[in-house]
Amino acid sequence: MTIDQFRERMATGEPITGGSELHMQFQELRRLLSELWAIDVPESFGMFPPFYTDCGKNTHVGERVFINMGCKFQDQGGIFIDDDALIGHNATLCTLNHLPDPAQRAGMIAKPIHIGKKVWLGANVTVLQGVTIGDNAIVAAGAVVTKDVPANAIVGGVPAKVIKMID
């Protein structure tokens, strides 16, 4: 698909099927991310740039993961994103935290973040270190996730709390 064909199709306003040629237009990114992350990024992976990372060597993604533009990954502690997860615009995943003792404040602790299967993180979500988000969960736009999220939960707010469970 050429960039002109991409633009024309996007201008129609018709739905875009996940995993379609149109949806996966930016596959050159996959090669670059495989190099940056030092893993084989699945061919089904998709991303709209820009993307920011401060380490890049400790991010792991499953099949059909999509990361939207403007996301920031601080991955020293490890970021694990399972199959079919959708990461919204400007999501920030933070695996480091400074020590609370003022005398040691410059010190840091790294803990991993785990995003389960078919999770949807809305735009401008922040996920803090050590958090696991269970399969099928939805995190509402703007939420700050400070604690684990159960599978099949919809959470939102600052800090994020369960709004309801998905049937």
Side-chain angles (χ1 to χ4, degrees):
M1 173 176 286
T2 69
I3 193 67
D4 287 336
Q5 290 170 323
F6 174 81
R7 289 179 181 145
E8 286 172 16
R9 175 59 177 80
M10 293 301 285
T12 68
E14 295 175 22
I16 299 161
T17 304
S20 67
E21 180 185 9
L22 181 65
H23 189 240
M24 307 308 290
Q25 177 65 27
F26 296 100
Q27 285 303 301
E28 175 64 11
L29 289 173
R30 190 182 70 76
R31 184 189 65 76
L32 295 170
L33 287 170
S34 291
E35 184 178 330
L36 174 67
W37 290 342
I39 62 170
D40 288 328
V41 174
E43 287 189 26
S44 62
F45 173 84
M47 174 188 281
F48 286 147
F51 171 77
Y52 305 93
T53 186
D54 61 351
C55 181
K57 299 300 182 196
N58 209 3
T59 296
H60 312 270
V61 296
E63 295 287 341
R64 297 168 303 282
V65 167
F66 181 76
I67 299 172
N68 223 320
M69 60 185 254
C71 291
K72 298 165 192 78
F73 287 13
Q74 180 192 56
D75 72 337
Q76 288 91 332
I79 294 174
F80 302 87
I81 304 173
D82 289 347
D83 296 347
D84 301 301
L86 304 173
I87 311 297
H89 293 87
N90 301 314
T92 301
L93 306 182
C94 306
T95 66
L96 290 178
N97 202 359
H98 289 279
L99 298 172
D101 179 356
Q104 298 179 353
R105 184 72 39 88
M108 293 175 281
I109 298 173
K111 293 182 183 175
I113 291 172
H114 184 187
I115 308 295
K117 294 177 181 170
K118 296 189 177 183
V119 166
W120 174 18
L121 301 184
N124 298 302
V125 163
T126 299
V127 180
L128 299 184
Q129 68 165 181
V131 166
T132 295
I133 299 178
D135 293 348
N136 306 310
I138 299 171
V139 179
V144 176
V145 185
T146 61
K147 296 180 181 174
D148 290 353
V149 173
N152 302 305
I154 299 174
V155 301
V158 179
K161 293 183 178 11
V162 174
I163 297 169
K164 71 179 210 174
M165 299 302 290
I166 299 169
D167 296 330

